[in-house]
Amino acid sequence: MTSRKKKAATKKRTTKKTSATSGLWMVKQEPEAYSWDDLVRDGRTDWTGVRNFQARNNLRQMKVGDRVLFYHSGPGKCVVGIAEVAKAAYPDPSVDDPQWVAVDIKPVKPLKEPVPLASIRYNPKLSNLPLIRQSQLSVMSLTKEEFETIVGMGAGRKTRSQ
């Protein structure tokens, strides 16, 4: 029983450590369900339907003006654009349960070149990216270096992999 408490405390400490965010995020969506082009056409959307506790907690931390990389999951698997949080977390209107939240996002600009998962996976600067380490996570926090590295890759700039 003591070891169980110790593990729980350690796990909680780890979660707390990563909860400080830089205001930089990535959201994943299957393009068949809702693509970058759909977001551009709509000008803004509510990001609803998240039913994973860690992803929900990330949504709760998002603030208006935070930058968000838009990732097409499923076919293609690539980052395609930069969006911005337009409305901070509020109760998800797609479900009648107050524990789930949504945010609104709006497009900022497409990346000049999509950044494929293969390129992300083999860039040493991105080795701790939740996209690689927790592939099922649909909303994740990014460090400034991770965000800037991916944006640089999408702009066609070569990044040094030191």
Side-chain angles (χ1 to χ4, degrees):
M1 188 148 178
T2 306
S3 64
R4 205 176 229 178
K5 284 183 181 179
K6 189 174 184 178
K7 282 184 182 178
T10 303
K11 187 173 185 178
K12 189 170 186 169
R13 199 168 34 249
T14 302
T15 302
K16 213 162 183 79
K17 182 181 174 188
T18 60
S19 68
T21 66
S22 61
L24 302 168
W25 307 93
M26 181 182 291
V27 295
K28 293 171 47 180
Q29 181 62 45
E30 292 184 17
E32 300 81 27
Y34 195 82
S35 70
W36 171 258
D37 290 339
D38 294 328
L39 178 60
V40 170
R41 180 196 65 227
D42 296 345
R44 181 175 174 145
T45 193
D46 53 349
W47 206 259
T48 61
V50 172
R51 300 295 178 266
N52 170 286
F53 290 105
Q54 187 177 359
R56 179 213 51 198
N57 293 343
N58 288 336
L59 285 175
R60 285 180 175 169
Q61 293 180 54
M62 289 181 166
K63 295 177 180 37
V64 173
D66 284 0
R67 292 296 167 128
V68 181
L69 294 179
F70 195 104
Y71 179 88
H72 280 170
S73 59
K77 291 186 171 58
C78 56
V79 179
V80 294
I82 303 171
E84 182 177 289
V85 176
K87 183 177 180 182
Y90 58 92
D92 186 335
S94 70
V95 66
D96 190 23
D97 184 343
Q99 76 172 321
W100 301 111
V101 298
V103 299
D104 287 2
I105 64 170
K106 62 183 181 183
V108 173
K109 67 178 184 177
L111 295 179
K112 183 178 175 184
E113 299 174 14
V115 181
L117 177 60
S119 296
I120 292 169
R121 186 178 306 275
Y122 294 108
N123 186 316
K125 290 182 177 181
L126 302 173
S127 62
N128 290 319
L129 192 71
L131 179 66
I132 296 166
R133 298 170 57 90
Q134 295 176 277
S135 63
Q136 297 302 309
L137 189 61
S138 64
V139 179
M140 59 199 77
S141 175
L142 303 175
T143 66
K144 184 177 180 186
E145 182 179 35
E146 290 166 342
F147 187 90
E148 290 175 351
T149 298
I150 293 170
V151 169
M153 293 166 73
R157 292 195 301 262
K158 302 296 178 210
T159 56
R160 271 189 260 149
S161 49
Q162 293 177 333

